[in-house]
Amino acid sequence: MDRREHAVYLTFDDGPIPESTPFILDTLRRYDIKAAFFVVGDNVRKYPELFEQIKAEGHMVGNHTHNHISGFRHSIKEYMYNVEKANAYIHSRYMRPPHGWMRLPQYAWLSRKFKVVMWDVVTRDYSKWMTAEGIVNNVKRYVRNGSIITFHDSLKAIDKLRTALPQSIEWLKEQGYEFKTFEKLRD
């Protein structure tokens, strides 16, 4: 994103799920921040009320495939089918590949229909080796103007996020960062 703007973009991958999405939404509401949720189609199918709540609260949504599949482990046809299956539930022009990996032909196909959004700061909140303090330190260490910061709306991350997400937001606010979403991206 624009490195001249003192702004960051908070993103959450993998949800929605009842064990973590409500906490994330409550936290974002408390700090009056809008974020982008790259959701898994099958989770949207299972928890449509959470998906609708994300949108109702003004957050952006994007496609994260239907079953969180890797582009490298599936054929181009299987991968594209999985993305389209997810989009039948999500209806978004934004897409993020799970694990940040896909094949060049997959990207070429996806970029005709979707704006592919990656990240430059991954908090590693999903790692069993990472602590809440480590997550906050990753944000502090790697964020810069225009950073797209990825947290996870998942069971692996939620216990650490209860501490790390508010602390990260407070630090970012103390540093004067503005919080943005991707709605104004050009195709």
Side-chain angles (χ1 to χ4, degrees):
M1 303 308 291
D2 190 343
R3 296 286 182 220
R4 294 167 297 179
E5 286 189 308
H6 197 56
V8 294
Y9 299 76
L10 293 187
T11 68
F12 296 87
D13 287 2
D14 303 344
I17 61 168
E19 295 84 358
S20 61
T21 307
F23 168 78
I24 293 168
L25 290 174
D26 289 346
T27 302
L28 295 173
R29 191 180 320 107
R30 184 174 56 190
Y31 290 101
D32 193 27
I33 293 171
K34 301 302 179 206
F37 286 76
F38 289 91
V39 295
V40 172
D42 196 44
N43 288 344
V44 173
R45 180 191 62 78
K46 289 188 276 190
Y47 309 112
E49 68 288 342
L50 285 175
F51 179 66
E52 291 303 321
Q53 184 180 355
I54 291 167
K55 294 190 305 180
E57 293 192 21
H59 301 289
M60 199 195 99
V61 295
N63 189 323
H64 201 49
T65 73
H66 192 71
N67 302 105
H68 199 266
I69 66 170
S70 167
F72 284 144
R73 294 187 180 162
H74 293 83
S75 72
I76 294 169
K77 185 177 178 181
E78 289 170 323
Y79 192 72
M80 297 312 134
Y81 173 78
N82 201 268
V83 170
E84 288 295 346
K85 185 175 181 181
N87 218 45
Y89 293 97
I90 300 165
H91 306 290
S92 175
R93 66 183 196 98
Y94 298 95
M95 193 276 176
R96 174 177 283 166
H99 314 290
W101 296 98
M102 71 178 105
R103 297 177 192 174
L104 187 56
Q106 292 164 335
Y107 174 77
W109 181 86
L110 286 170
S111 65
R112 284 186 274 152
K113 183 172 182 177
F114 298 95
K115 179 71 177 171
V116 177
V117 178
M118 300 301 274
W119 63 84
D120 66 308
V121 178
V122 64
T123 61
R124 299 188 50 79
D125 54 0
Y126 52 82
S127 171
K128 65 181 177 179
W129 309 111
M130 186 61 66
T131 64
E133 181 182 2
I135 294 165
V136 176
N137 286 337
N138 279 342
V139 171
K140 290 179 179 180
R141 184 177 305 125
Y142 298 112
V143 77
R144 59 187 186 264
N145 287 352
S147 280
I148 299 172
I149 305 168
T150 298
F151 292 95
H152 290 80
D153 183 358
S154 71
L155 292 173
K156 291 179 182 178
I158 188 57
D159 289 340
K160 294 169 271 192
L161 275 189
R162 292 187 192 287
T163 300
L165 182 59
Q167 286 183 7
S168 296
I169 290 171
E170 288 171 12
W171 183 82
L172 290 162
K173 283 185 169 273
E174 287 169 7
Q175 304 309 303
Y177 283 102
E178 181 182 355
F179 294 84
K180 292 189 163 190
T181 59
F182 307 106
E183 276 87 5
K184 297 182 180 173
L185 284 182
R186 290 185 183 169
D187 288 324

PDB file of all heavy atoms in Angstrom, residues 91-120:
ATOM      1  N   HIS A  91     -19.265 -13.587  -2.064  1.00  0.00           N
ATOM      2  CA  HIS A  91     -19.580 -12.490  -2.994  1.00  0.00           C
ATOM      3  C   HIS A  91     -18.642 -11.299  -2.803  1.00  0.00           C
ATOM      4  O   HIS A  91     -19.075 -10.198  -2.474  1.00  0.00           O
ATOM      5  CB  HIS A  91     -21.034 -12.042  -2.842  1.00  0.00           C
ATOM      6  CG  HIS A  91     -22.018 -13.150  -2.963  1.00  0.00           C
ATOM      7  ND1 HIS A  91     -22.285 -13.789  -4.152  1.00  0.00           N
ATOM      8  CD2 HIS A  91     -22.782 -13.761  -2.020  1.00  0.00           C
ATOM      9  CE1 HIS A  91     -23.184 -14.733  -3.947  1.00  0.00           C
ATOM     10  NE2 HIS A  91     -23.501 -14.742  -2.664  1.00  0.00           N
ATOM     11  N   SER A  92     -17.363 -11.539  -3.025  1.00  0.00           N
ATOM     12  CA  SER A  92     -16.365 -10.481  -2.871  1.00  0.00           C
ATOM     13  C   SER A  92     -15.458 -10.450  -4.087  1.00  0.00           C
ATOM     14  O   SER A  92     -15.224 -11.470  -4.721  1.00  0.00           O
ATOM     15  CB  SER A  92     -15.527 -10.737  -1.619  1.00  0.00           C
ATOM     16  OG  SER A  92     -14.489  -9.779  -1.515  1.00  0.00           O
ATOM     17  N   ARG A  93     -14.916  -9.298  -4.383  1.00  0.00           N
ATOM     18  CA  ARG A  93     -13.943  -9.190  -5.467  1.00  0.00           C
ATOM     19  C   ARG A  93     -12.508  -9.234  -4.933  1.00  0.00           C
ATOM     20  O   ARG A  93     -11.560  -9.059  -5.668  1.00  0.00           O
ATOM     21  CB  ARG A  93     -14.175  -7.942  -6.299  1.00  0.00           C
ATOM     22  CG  ARG A  93     -13.951  -6.642  -5.585  1.00  0.00           C
ATOM     23  CD  ARG A  93     -14.296  -5.460  -6.497  1.00  0.00           C
ATOM     24  NE  ARG A  93     -13.737  -4.227  -5.986  1.00  0.00           N
ATOM     25  CZ  ARG A  93     -12.607  -3.688  -6.416  1.00  0.00           C
ATOM     26  NH1 ARG A  93     -11.924  -4.247  -7.372  1.00  0.00           N
ATOM     27  NH2 ARG A  93     -12.160  -2.571  -5.893  1.00  0.00           N
ATOM     28  N   TYR A  94     -12.365  -9.472  -3.613  1.00  0.00           N
ATOM     29  CA  TYR A  94     -11.053  -9.569  -2.987  1.00  0.00           C
ATOM     30  C   TYR A  94     -10.755 -11.018  -2.650  1.00  0.00           C
ATOM     31  O   TYR A  94     -11.640 -11.765  -2.258  1.00  0.00           O
ATOM     32  CB  TYR A  94     -10.988  -8.716  -1.717  1.00  0.00           C
ATOM     33  CG  TYR A  94     -11.183  -7.253  -2.013  1.00  0.00           C
ATOM     34  CD1 TYR A  94     -12.434  -6.664  -1.912  1.00  0.00           C
ATOM     35  CD2 TYR A  94     -10.120  -6.466  -2.419  1.00  0.00           C
ATOM     36  CE1 TYR A  94     -12.621  -5.329  -2.199  1.00  0.00           C
ATOM     37  CE2 TYR A  94     -10.299  -5.121  -2.713  1.00  0.00           C
ATOM     38  CZ  TYR A  94     -11.553  -4.562  -2.600  1.00  0.00           C
ATOM     39  OH  TYR A  94     -11.731  -3.245  -2.902  1.00  0.00           O
ATOM     40  N   MET A  95      -9.487 -11.396  -2.759  1.00  0.00           N
ATOM     41  CA  MET A  95      -9.102 -12.783  -2.513  1.00  0.00           C
ATOM     42  C   MET A  95      -7.712 -12.814  -1.901  1.00  0.00           C
ATOM     43  O   MET A  95      -6.865 -11.995  -2.248  1.00  0.00           O
ATOM     44  CB  MET A  95      -9.100 -13.543  -3.845  1.00  0.00           C
ATOM     45  CG  MET A  95      -9.027 -15.055  -3.733  1.00  0.00           C
ATOM     46  SD  MET A  95      -7.355 -15.647  -3.565  1.00  0.00           S
ATOM     47  CE  MET A  95      -7.653 -17.382  -3.339  1.00  0.00           C
ATOM     48  N   ARG A  96      -7.520 -13.719  -0.956  1.00  0.00           N
ATOM     49  CA  ARG A  96      -6.186 -13.980  -0.391  1.00  0.00           C
ATOM     50  C   ARG A  96      -5.972 -15.482  -0.382  1.00  0.00           C
ATOM     51  O   ARG A  96      -6.775 -16.219   0.185  1.00  0.00           O
ATOM     52  CB  ARG A  96      -6.079 -13.434   1.027  1.00  0.00           C
ATOM     53  CG  ARG A  96      -4.745 -13.813   1.684  1.00  0.00           C
ATOM     54  CD  ARG A  96      -4.594 -13.228   3.059  1.00  0.00           C
ATOM     55  NE  ARG A  96      -4.253 -11.818   2.948  1.00  0.00           N
ATOM     56  CZ  ARG A  96      -4.324 -10.967   3.967  1.00  0.00           C
ATOM     57  NH1 ARG A  96      -4.735 -11.373   5.151  1.00  0.00           N
ATOM     58  NH2 ARG A  96      -3.991  -9.703   3.802  1.00  0.00           N
ATOM     59  N   PRO A  97      -4.882 -15.944  -1.002  1.00  0.00           N
ATOM     60  CA  PRO A  97      -4.622 -17.388  -1.010  1.00  0.00           C
ATOM     61  C   PRO A  97      -4.152 -17.875   0.352  1.00  0.00           C
ATOM     62  O   PRO A  97      -3.330 -17.215   0.994  1.00  0.00           O
ATOM     63  CB  PRO A  97      -3.517 -17.535  -2.057  1.00  0.00           C
ATOM     64  CG  PRO A  97      -2.819 -16.219  -2.054  1.00  0.00           C
ATOM     65  CD  PRO A  97      -3.862 -15.182  -1.743  1.00  0.00           C
ATOM     66  N   PRO A  98      -4.657 -19.010   0.831  1.00  0.00           N
ATOM     67  CA  PRO A  98      -4.147 -19.579   2.073  1.00  0.00           C
ATOM     68  C   PRO A  98      -2.631 -19.778   2.002  1.00  0.00           C
ATOM     69  O   PRO A  98      -2.106 -20.177   0.960  1.00  0.00           O
ATOM     70  CB  PRO A  98      -4.878 -20.917   2.182  1.00  0.00           C
ATOM     71  CG  PRO A  98      -6.182 -20.667   1.476  1.00  0.00           C
ATOM     72  CD  PRO A  98      -5.796 -19.783   0.315  1.00  0.00           C
ATOM     73  N   HIS A  99      -1.984 -19.468   3.076  1.00  0.00           N
ATOM     74  CA  HIS A  99      -0.535 -19.577   3.226  1.00  0.00           C
ATOM     75  C   HIS A  99       0.224 -18.605   2.315  1.00  0.00           C
ATOM     76  O   HIS A  99       1.446 -18.633   2.282  1.00  0.00           O
ATOM     77  CB  HIS A  99      -0.032 -21.010   2.965  1.00  0.00           C
ATOM     78  CG  HIS A  99      -0.850 -22.049   3.644  1.00  0.00           C
ATOM     79  ND1 HIS A  99      -0.853 -22.224   5.013  1.00  0.00           N
ATOM     80  CD2 HIS A  99      -1.726 -22.952   3.156  1.00  0.00           C
ATOM     81  CE1 HIS A  99      -1.694 -23.195   5.325  1.00  0.00           C
ATOM     82  NE2 HIS A  99      -2.231 -23.654   4.233  1.00  0.00           N
ATOM     83  N   GLY A 100      -0.488 -17.790   1.568  1.00  0.00           N
ATOM     84  CA  GLY A 100       0.156 -16.843   0.669  1.00  0.00           C
ATOM     85  C   GLY A 100       0.805 -17.475  -0.544  1.00  0.00           C
ATOM     86  O   GLY A 100       1.667 -16.870  -1.171  1.00  0.00           O
ATOM     87  N   TRP A 101       0.370 -18.682  -0.892  1.00  0.00           N
ATOM     88  CA  TRP A 101       0.980 -19.410  -1.997  1.00  0.00           C
ATOM     89  C   TRP A 101      -0.045 -19.783  -3.053  1.00  0.00           C
ATOM     90  O   TRP A 101      -1.140 -20.224  -2.721  1.00  0.00           O
ATOM     91  CB  TRP A 101       1.616 -20.711  -1.502  1.00  0.00           C
ATOM     92  CG  TRP A 101       2.746 -20.503  -0.567  1.00  0.00           C
ATOM     93  CD1 TRP A 101       2.690 -20.559   0.800  1.00  0.00           C
ATOM     94  CD2 TRP A 101       4.092 -20.204  -0.891  1.00  0.00           C
ATOM     95  NE1 TRP A 101       3.922 -20.318   1.328  1.00  0.00           N
ATOM     96  CE2 TRP A 101       4.808 -20.098   0.315  1.00  0.00           C
ATOM     97  CE3 TRP A 101       4.764 -20.017  -2.106  1.00  0.00           C
ATOM     98  CZ2 TRP A 101       6.161 -19.814   0.349  1.00  0.00           C
ATOM     99  CZ3 TRP A 101       6.120 -19.727  -2.060  1.00  0.00           C
ATOM    100  CH2 TRP A 101       6.796 -19.631  -0.843  1.00  0.00           C
ATOM    101  N   MET A 102       0.352 -19.608  -4.290  1.00  0.00           N
ATOM    102  CA  MET A 102      -0.418 -20.114  -5.427  1.00  0.00           C
ATOM    103  C   MET A 102       0.514 -20.167  -6.625  1.00  0.00           C
ATOM    104  O   MET A 102       1.566 -19.537  -6.630  1.00  0.00           O
ATOM    105  CB  MET A 102      -1.638 -19.250  -5.703  1.00  0.00           C
ATOM    106  CG  MET A 102      -1.321 -17.893  -6.271  1.00  0.00           C
ATOM    107  SD  MET A 102      -2.792 -16.948  -6.616  1.00  0.00           S
ATOM    108  CE  MET A 102      -2.732 -15.817  -5.258  1.00  0.00           C
ATOM    109  N   ARG A 103       0.109 -20.906  -7.600  1.00  0.00           N
ATOM    110  CA  ARG A 103       0.901 -21.006  -8.831  1.00  0.00           C
ATOM    111  C   ARG A 103       0.630 -19.795  -9.713  1.00  0.00           C
ATOM    112  O   ARG A 103      -0.442 -19.201  -9.651  1.00  0.00           O
ATOM    113  CB  ARG A 103       0.538 -22.277  -9.577  1.00  0.00           C
ATOM    114  CG  ARG A 103       0.868 -23.520  -8.807  1.00  0.00           C
ATOM    115  CD  ARG A 103       0.417 -24.735  -9.561  1.00  0.00           C
ATOM    116  NE  ARG A 103       0.490 -25.895  -8.680  1.00  0.00           N
ATOM    117  CZ  ARG A 103       0.069 -27.069  -9.010  1.00  0.00           C
ATOM    118  NH1 ARG A 103      -0.461 -27.293 -10.200  1.00  0.00           N
ATOM    119  NH2 ARG A 103       0.171 -28.078  -8.166  1.00  0.00           N
ATOM    120  N   LEU A 104       1.581 -19.474 -10.550  1.00  0.00           N
ATOM    121  CA  LEU A 104       1.437 -18.326 -11.443  1.00  0.00           C
ATOM    122  C   LEU A 104       0.175 -18.430 -12.315  1.00  0.00           C
ATOM    123  O   LEU A 104      -0.559 -17.440 -12.438  1.00  0.00           O
ATOM    124  CB  LEU A 104       2.692 -18.142 -12.296  1.00  0.00           C
ATOM    125  CG  LEU A 104       2.725 -16.876 -13.141  1.00  0.00           C
ATOM    126  CD1 LEU A 104       2.545 -15.630 -12.285  1.00  0.00           C
ATOM    127  CD2 LEU A 104       4.040 -16.811 -13.911  1.00  0.00           C
ATOM    128  N   PRO A 105      -0.140 -19.592 -12.919  1.00  0.00           N
ATOM    129  CA  PRO A 105      -1.381 -19.661 -13.697  1.00  0.00           C
ATOM    130  C   PRO A 105      -2.641 -19.434 -12.828  1.00  0.00           C
ATOM    131  O   PRO A 105      -3.623 -18.881 -13.304  1.00  0.00           O
ATOM    132  CB  PRO A 105      -1.373 -21.078 -14.280  1.00  0.00           C
ATOM    133  CG  PRO A 105       0.060 -21.498 -14.267  1.00  0.00           C
ATOM    134  CD  PRO A 105       0.664 -20.816 -13.071  1.00  0.00           C
ATOM    135  N   GLN A 106      -2.594 -19.849 -11.579  1.00  0.00           N
ATOM    136  CA  GLN A 106      -3.717 -19.601 -10.680  1.00  0.00           C
ATOM    137  C   GLN A 106      -3.869 -18.100 -10.445  1.00  0.00           C
ATOM    138  O   GLN A 106      -4.967 -17.559 -10.495  1.00  0.00           O
ATOM    139  CB  GLN A 106      -3.530 -20.346  -9.353  1.00  0.00           C
ATOM    140  CG  GLN A 106      -3.628 -21.846  -9.503  1.00  0.00           C
ATOM    141  CD  GLN A 106      -3.071 -22.600  -8.312  1.00  0.00           C
ATOM    142  OE1 GLN A 106      -2.230 -22.115  -7.576  1.00  0.00           O
ATOM    143  NE2 GLN A 106      -3.547 -23.830  -8.140  1.00  0.00           N
ATOM    144  N   TYR A 107      -2.744 -17.443 -10.203  1.00  0.00           N
ATOM    145  CA  TYR A 107      -2.775 -15.997 -10.018  1.00  0.00           C
ATOM    146  C   TYR A 107      -3.295 -15.297 -11.270  1.00  0.00           C
ATOM    147  O   TYR A 107      -4.119 -14.385 -11.185  1.00  0.00           O
ATOM    148  CB  TYR A 107      -1.394 -15.451  -9.644  1.00  0.00           C
ATOM    149  CG  TYR A 107      -1.391 -13.951  -9.585  1.00  0.00           C
ATOM    150  CD1 TYR A 107      -1.929 -13.283  -8.495  1.00  0.00           C
ATOM    151  CD2 TYR A 107      -0.907 -13.199 -10.650  1.00  0.00           C
ATOM    152  CE1 TYR A 107      -1.976 -11.903  -8.458  1.00  0.00           C
ATOM    153  CE2 TYR A 107      -0.941 -11.819 -10.629  1.00  0.00           C
ATOM    154  CZ  TYR A 107      -1.476 -11.168  -9.524  1.00  0.00           C
ATOM    155  OH  TYR A 107      -1.533  -9.808  -9.492  1.00  0.00           O
ATOM    156  N   ALA A 108      -2.828 -15.724 -12.423  1.00  0.00           N
ATOM    157  CA  ALA A 108      -3.273 -15.106 -13.679  1.00  0.00           C
ATOM    158  C   ALA A 108      -4.785 -15.221 -13.829  1.00  0.00           C
ATOM    159  O   ALA A 108      -5.457 -14.266 -14.223  1.00  0.00           O
ATOM    160  CB  ALA A 108      -2.556 -15.753 -14.865  1.00  0.00           C
ATOM    161  N   TRP A 109      -5.326 -16.389 -13.508  1.00  0.00           N
ATOM    162  CA  TRP A 109      -6.773 -16.581 -13.604  1.00  0.00           C
ATOM    163  C   TRP A 109      -7.494 -15.751 -12.543  1.00  0.00           C
ATOM    164  O   TRP A 109      -8.465 -15.058 -12.845  1.00  0.00           O
ATOM    165  CB  TRP A 109      -7.122 -18.059 -13.452  1.00  0.00           C
ATOM    166  CG  TRP A 109      -8.592 -18.317 -13.573  1.00  0.00           C
ATOM    167  CD1 TRP A 109      -9.295 -18.520 -14.719  1.00  0.00           C
ATOM    168  CD2 TRP A 109      -9.545 -18.372 -12.512  1.00  0.00           C
ATOM    169  NE1 TRP A 109     -10.628 -18.699 -14.431  1.00  0.00           N
ATOM    170  CE2 TRP A 109     -10.808 -18.610 -13.076  1.00  0.00           C
ATOM    171  CE3 TRP A 109      -9.455 -18.232 -11.136  1.00  0.00           C
ATOM    172  CZ2 TRP A 109     -11.967 -18.716 -12.325  1.00  0.00           C
ATOM    173  CZ3 TRP A 109     -10.609 -18.340 -10.372  1.00  0.00           C
ATOM    174  CH2 TRP A 109     -11.845 -18.580 -10.976  1.00  0.00           C
ATOM    175  N   LEU A 110      -7.033 -15.823 -11.306  1.00  0.00           N
ATOM    176  CA  LEU A 110      -7.691 -15.109 -10.213  1.00  0.00           C
ATOM    177  C   LEU A 110      -7.678 -13.603 -10.420  1.00  0.00           C
ATOM    178  O   LEU A 110      -8.664 -12.928 -10.130  1.00  0.00           O
ATOM    179  CB  LEU A 110      -7.012 -15.441  -8.878  1.00  0.00           C
ATOM    180  CG  LEU A 110      -7.282 -16.815  -8.315  1.00  0.00           C
ATOM    181  CD1 LEU A 110      -6.360 -17.091  -7.139  1.00  0.00           C
ATOM    182  CD2 LEU A 110      -8.736 -16.944  -7.892  1.00  0.00           C
ATOM    183  N   SER A 111      -6.581 -13.082 -10.904  1.00  0.00           N
ATOM    184  CA  SER A 111      -6.457 -11.626 -11.032  1.00  0.00           C
ATOM    185  C   SER A 111      -7.377 -11.042 -12.102  1.00  0.00           C
ATOM    186  O   SER A 111      -7.586  -9.831 -12.139  1.00  0.00           O
ATOM    187  CB  SER A 111      -5.006 -11.233 -11.290  1.00  0.00           C
ATOM    188  OG  SER A 111      -4.565 -11.731 -12.523  1.00  0.00           O
ATOM    189  N   ARG A 112      -7.958 -11.889 -12.948  1.00  0.00           N
ATOM    190  CA  ARG A 112      -8.951 -11.397 -13.906  1.00  0.00           C
ATOM    191  C   ARG A 112     -10.264 -11.058 -13.217  1.00  0.00           C
ATOM    192  O   ARG A 112     -10.990 -10.184 -13.662  1.00  0.00           O
ATOM    193  CB  ARG A 112      -9.211 -12.429 -15.001  1.00  0.00           C
ATOM    194  CG  ARG A 112      -8.084 -12.489 -16.023  1.00  0.00           C
ATOM    195  CD  ARG A 112      -8.424 -13.407 -17.159  1.00  0.00           C
ATOM    196  NE  ARG A 112      -8.030 -14.766 -16.761  1.00  0.00           N
ATOM    197  CZ  ARG A 112      -8.595 -15.863 -17.191  1.00  0.00           C
ATOM    198  NH1 ARG A 112      -9.590 -15.815 -18.039  1.00  0.00           N
ATOM    199  NH2 ARG A 112      -8.158 -17.041 -16.790  1.00  0.00           N
ATOM    200  N   LYS A 113     -10.557 -11.730 -12.115  1.00  0.00           N
ATOM    201  CA  LYS A 113     -11.837 -11.553 -11.421  1.00  0.00           C
ATOM    202  C   LYS A 113     -11.684 -10.921 -10.041  1.00  0.00           C
ATOM    203  O   LYS A 113     -12.594 -10.261  -9.562  1.00  0.00           O
ATOM    204  CB  LYS A 113     -12.526 -12.913 -11.293  1.00  0.00           C
ATOM    205  CG  LYS A 113     -13.886 -12.845 -10.659  1.00  0.00           C
ATOM    206  CD  LYS A 113     -14.603 -14.174 -10.719  1.00  0.00           C
ATOM    207  CE  LYS A 113     -15.987 -14.051 -10.109  1.00  0.00           C
ATOM    208  NZ  LYS A 113     -16.734 -15.289 -10.208  1.00  0.00           N
ATOM    209  N   PHE A 114     -10.547 -11.142  -9.398  1.00  0.00           N
ATOM    210  CA  PHE A 114     -10.348 -10.714  -8.018  1.00  0.00           C
ATOM    211  C   PHE A 114      -9.157  -9.774  -7.896  1.00  0.00           C
ATOM    212  O   PHE A 114      -8.215  -9.848  -8.677  1.00  0.00           O
ATOM    213  CB  PHE A 114     -10.059 -11.924  -7.114  1.00  0.00           C
ATOM    214  CG  PHE A 114     -11.170 -12.926  -7.055  1.00  0.00           C
ATOM    215  CD1 PHE A 114     -11.164 -14.041  -7.890  1.00  0.00           C
ATOM    216  CD2 PHE A 114     -12.221 -12.775  -6.166  1.00  0.00           C
ATOM    217  CE1 PHE A 114     -12.182 -14.980  -7.834  1.00  0.00           C
ATOM    218  CE2 PHE A 114     -13.243 -13.706  -6.099  1.00  0.00           C
ATOM    219  CZ  PHE A 114     -13.228 -14.813  -6.944  1.00  0.00           C
ATOM    220  N   LYS A 115      -9.204  -8.940  -6.870  1.00  0.00           N
ATOM    221  CA  LYS A 115      -8.031  -8.193  -6.442  1.00  0.00           C
ATOM    222  C   LYS A 115      -7.365  -9.068  -5.392  1.00  0.00           C
ATOM    223  O   LYS A 115      -7.928  -9.322  -4.331  1.00  0.00           O
ATOM    224  CB  LYS A 115      -8.445  -6.841  -5.857  1.00  0.00           C
ATOM    225  CG  LYS A 115      -7.285  -6.022  -5.378  1.00  0.00           C
ATOM    226  CD  LYS A 115      -6.479  -5.509  -6.543  1.00  0.00           C
ATOM    227  CE  LYS A 115      -5.361  -4.625  -6.037  1.00  0.00           C
ATOM    228  NZ  LYS A 115      -4.430  -4.282  -7.087  1.00  0.00           N
ATOM    229  N   VAL A 116      -6.187  -9.605  -5.693  1.00  0.00           N
ATOM    230  CA  VAL A 116      -5.470 -10.485  -4.772  1.00  0.00           C
ATOM    231  C   VAL A 116      -4.726  -9.610  -3.762  1.00  0.00           C
ATOM    232  O   VAL A 116      -3.950  -8.738  -4.145  1.00  0.00           O
ATOM    233  CB  VAL A 116      -4.498 -11.417  -5.523  1.00  0.00           C
ATOM    234  CG1 VAL A 116      -3.717 -12.272  -4.539  1.00  0.00           C
ATOM    235  CG2 VAL A 116      -5.269 -12.293  -6.517  1.00  0.00           C
ATOM    236  N   VAL A 117      -5.014  -9.834  -2.479  1.00  0.00           N
ATOM    237  CA  VAL A 117      -4.446  -9.026  -1.398  1.00  0.00           C
ATOM    238  C   VAL A 117      -3.560  -9.918  -0.536  1.00  0.00           C
ATOM    239  O   VAL A 117      -4.032 -10.879   0.067  1.00  0.00           O
ATOM    240  CB  VAL A 117      -5.558  -8.392  -0.536  1.00  0.00           C
ATOM    241  CG1 VAL A 117      -4.955  -7.586   0.607  1.00  0.00           C
ATOM    242  CG2 VAL A 117      -6.484  -7.525  -1.385  1.00  0.00           C
ATOM    243  N   MET A 118      -2.286  -9.578  -0.471  1.00  0.00           N
ATOM    244  CA  MET A 118      -1.343 -10.332   0.355  1.00  0.00           C
ATOM    245  C   MET A 118      -1.117  -9.559   1.656  1.00  0.00           C
ATOM    246  O   MET A 118      -2.020  -8.898   2.131  1.00  0.00           O
ATOM    247  CB  MET A 118      -0.054 -10.566  -0.427  1.00  0.00           C
ATOM    248  CG  MET A 118      -0.272 -11.350  -1.722  1.00  0.00           C
ATOM    249  SD  MET A 118      -0.989 -12.970  -1.494  1.00  0.00           S
ATOM    250  CE  MET A 118       0.471 -13.916  -1.178  1.00  0.00           C
ATOM    251  N   TRP A 119       0.063  -9.606   2.214  1.00  0.00           N
ATOM    252  CA  TRP A 119       0.394  -8.913   3.458  1.00  0.00           C
ATOM    253  C   TRP A 119       1.890  -8.673   3.477  1.00  0.00           C
ATOM    254  O   TRP A 119       2.641  -9.261   2.716  1.00  0.00           O
ATOM    255  CB  TRP A 119      -0.008  -9.747   4.677  1.00  0.00           C
ATOM    256  CG  TRP A 119       0.750 -11.041   4.748  1.00  0.00           C
ATOM    257  CD1 TRP A 119       2.001 -11.244   5.280  1.00  0.00           C
ATOM    258  CD2 TRP A 119       0.346 -12.294   4.210  1.00  0.00           C
ATOM    259  NE1 TRP A 119       2.382 -12.547   5.118  1.00  0.00           N
ATOM    260  CE2 TRP A 119       1.381 -13.225   4.456  1.00  0.00           C
ATOM    261  CE3 TRP A 119      -0.800 -12.752   3.552  1.00  0.00           C
ATOM    262  CZ2 TRP A 119       1.311 -14.553   4.066  1.00  0.00           C
ATOM    263  CZ3 TRP A 119      -0.860 -14.070   3.170  1.00  0.00           C
ATOM    264  CH2 TRP A 119       0.178 -14.950   3.429  1.00  0.00           C
ATOM    265  N   ASP A 120       2.327  -7.814   4.389  1.00  0.00           N
ATOM    266  CA  ASP A 120       3.763  -7.674   4.614  1.00  0.00           C
ATOM    267  C   ASP A 120       4.120  -7.908   6.079  1.00  0.00           C
ATOM    268  O   ASP A 120       5.292  -8.044   6.406  1.00  0.00           O
ATOM    269  CB  ASP A 120       4.296  -6.325   4.119  1.00  0.00           C
ATOM    270  CG  ASP A 120       3.766  -5.154   4.903  1.00  0.00           C
ATOM    271  OD1 ASP A 120       2.536  -5.038   5.054  1.00  0.00           O
ATOM    272  OD2 ASP A 120       4.574  -4.333   5.373  1.00  0.00           O
TER     273      ASP A 120
END
